[in-house]
Amino acid sequence: NPVIENFKSKISVRLDLEEVNKTWMEENGATFYQTIAEHYGIWRDLFNHCFFHPKFFMDITYNITDSRYMPIYMGNAVAPFEARSAPNVSYECDPDSLYTLILTSPDGNLQNNNTEFLHWMVGNIPGNDVKQGEVICNYMPPFPVRDVGFNRYVFVLYEQHQKMDYSKLQKPGDCLSLSERNFQTLDFYGERQDELTPASIAFYQSQYHPCVSKYFRETLKMKEPIYEFIHPPPYHPVQKKHPHKKPFNLYLDRYRDIRELNEEAMKYKIKQTNPFEKFKIPKYPAVFNNRMKPTWLQLKERHRALNKHQWKNV
């Protein structure tokens, strides 16, 4: 237990961190969860800007090894290989009540951007014994594809007012079809709002890892999709015939095709590279003694030596 000492009065107080955390969660946890979920767009993308205050909080952990585990809070980063198998979910509740647990991703649907992707669904959970619940959709680990950044994965726990019939949502035992996992939280809850009440929420984020390529290839039996961001063309003002106090070579380069500049830099790199000699970095790359060259050429060589503009990484 941590000790807080007052050096003036020499008084020390021992604090139980678990008790402090429990007290803070009871007093500020609901507001904190609501604010964080709003910041990450959870209410906007799942409930169309509607929100709820958690009735209690879930303790969610992914087992990585026998001695290591990854806890889930509100938006922490989890690598895909750390979430390979279904997590352990526990919470304090009435043992005679029934619950439905859903793990969905508002960012992970590769076939329809307007719907979520269902990763896991367990219904009719007796109390907090998730393993005794009815598996509606088997667990599928996160597989954020390359070059899309972080994807969100949201756990939503619903309290049931009665036993639910999920036969229409039932998936095959080992469902690997991406199209069958289309899901919409707002529609799901809207159709059952008289039988369900949202009770708790938690989420994490994950981004691409090389293990995702293996998952596409060996498990999903499909080619891995790769996305590339198309940058808008940079804005340049109307070209002037006599730009004032601007090096003419840099000024003209602004209006050249970037592919032409990259080709010029690559040709220079190939010309200067000897495959049989080790590349030597000059001790003082920014020092130039040749004053006989024109100033624009001196500036160009300086940028080339300092890896600026199109000469970067050359």
Side-chain angles (χ1 to χ4, degrees):
N1 294 333
V3 178
I4 299 179
E5 296 184 353
N6 187 329
F7 293 98
K8 293 183 178 180
S9 58
K10 297 183 179 180
I11 298 175
S12 61
V13 179
R14 292 190 174 273
L15 299 178
D16 185 349
L17 288 182
E18 293 185 0
E19 190 65 27
V20 171
N21 181 66
K22 182 178 179 180
T23 302
W24 182 87
M25 292 294 285
E26 291 176 354
E27 296 178 354
N28 305 303
T31 303
F32 172 77
Y33 271 46
Q34 189 272 331
T35 303
I36 291 296
E38 181 179 2
H39 174 76
Y40 282 96
I42 302 300
W43 308 125
R44 177 196 64 204
D45 296 335
L46 265 65
F47 295 96
N48 193 23
H49 297 281
C50 297
F51 67 91
F52 64 90
H53 289 290
K55 182 178 179 181
F56 46 77
F57 305 100
M58 294 182 286
D59 183 11
I60 306 175
T61 57
Y62 280 102
N63 291 333
I64 303 175
T65 62
D66 294 338
S67 58
R68 293 179 60 237
Y69 65 91
M70 171 60 69
I72 302 301
Y73 301 109
M74 286 294 285
N76 58 313
V78 178
F81 67 86
E82 295 175 328
R84 289 189 298 260
S85 57
N88 301 315
V89 182
S90 62
Y91 43 88
E92 297 181 2
C93 67
D94 183 359
D96 297 329
S97 56
L98 295 173
Y99 292 90
T100 295
L101 177 64
I102 295 177
L103 171 60
T104 179
S105 173
D107 311 311
N109 198 316
L110 302 179
Q111 299 177 334
N112 190 345
N113 292 332
N114 297 322
T115 61
E116 306 159 30
F117 187 84
L118 182 62
H119 283 269
W120 193 31
M121 181 175 178
V122 183
N124 298 314
I125 301 172
N128 59 2
D129 194 354
V130 178
K131 295 182 179 180
Q132 297 300 320
E134 178 186 355
V135 178
I136 311 303
C137 183
N138 65 298
Y139 179 81
M140 179 177 283
F143 49 90
V145 296
R146 194 192 307 263
D147 297 330
V148 299
F150 282 97
N151 287 0
R152 297 163 296 172
Y153 299 88
V154 187
F155 293 89
V156 182
L157 184 69
Y158 299 88
E159 183 176 2
Q160 300 177 196
H161 303 163
Q162 59 188 19
K163 187 173 182 179
M164 301 293 295
D165 180 13
Y166 288 126
S167 57
K168 294 182 179 180
L169 299 177
Q170 184 70 49
K171 309 298 181 186
D174 188 14
C175 179
L176 296 177
S177 173
L178 302 186
S179 59
E180 292 186 13
R181 288 178 176 263
N182 292 336
F183 188 76
Q184 200 72 29
T185 297
L186 190 62
D187 294 342
F188 169 80
Y189 177 59
E191 295 173 0
R192 301 167 179 82
Q193 57 184 336
D194 295 333
E195 293 84 23
L196 297 175
T197 301
S200 187
I201 190 171
F203 75 98
Y204 65 93
Q205 301 180 85
S206 187
Q207 64 177 342
Y208 173 81
H209 185 272
C211 69
V212 173
S213 301
K214 182 179 179 181
Y215 186 79
F216 274 102
R217 183 175 61 255
E218 298 183 359
T219 304
L220 297 180
K221 308 295 183 181
M222 60 180 292
K223 293 183 178 180
E224 176 190 2
I226 299 177
Y227 296 86
E228 181 180 358
F229 183 78
I230 302 177
H231 295 272
Y235 168 76
H236 297 298
V238 178
Q239 189 172 355
K240 298 180 180 180
K241 186 175 183 180
H242 302 290
H244 183 59
K245 292 185 178 181
K246 294 182 180 179
F248 81 95
N249 58 325
L250 296 183
Y251 183 77
L252 293 178
D253 284 348
R254 293 178 60 184
Y255 299 91
R256 294 172 61 188
D257 190 345
I258 186 64
R259 291 174 294 184
E260 183 181 348
L261 296 175
N262 292 337
E263 182 180 355
E264 179 183 340
M266 181 58 66
K267 287 182 178 179
Y268 172 81
K269 181 178 181 180
I270 295 175
K271 183 179 180 181
Q272 299 296 323
T273 302
N274 188 336
F276 303 103
E277 294 183 1
K278 186 177 180 181
F279 178 74
K280 296 181 180 179
I281 302 177
K283 188 174 183 181
Y284 303 104
V287 174
F288 297 93
N289 296 321
N290 191 347
R291 297 293 181 179
M292 301 301 295
K293 295 182 179 180
T295 55
W296 69 267
L297 186 55
Q298 293 182 36
L299 183 62
K300 182 177 182 179
E301 291 182 351
R302 184 180 296 273
H303 288 165
R304 185 185 294 160
L306 297 177
N307 293 330
K308 289 186 176 182
H309 303 291
Q310 74 265 31
W311 309 105
K312 192 174 183 180
N313 299 326
V314 173

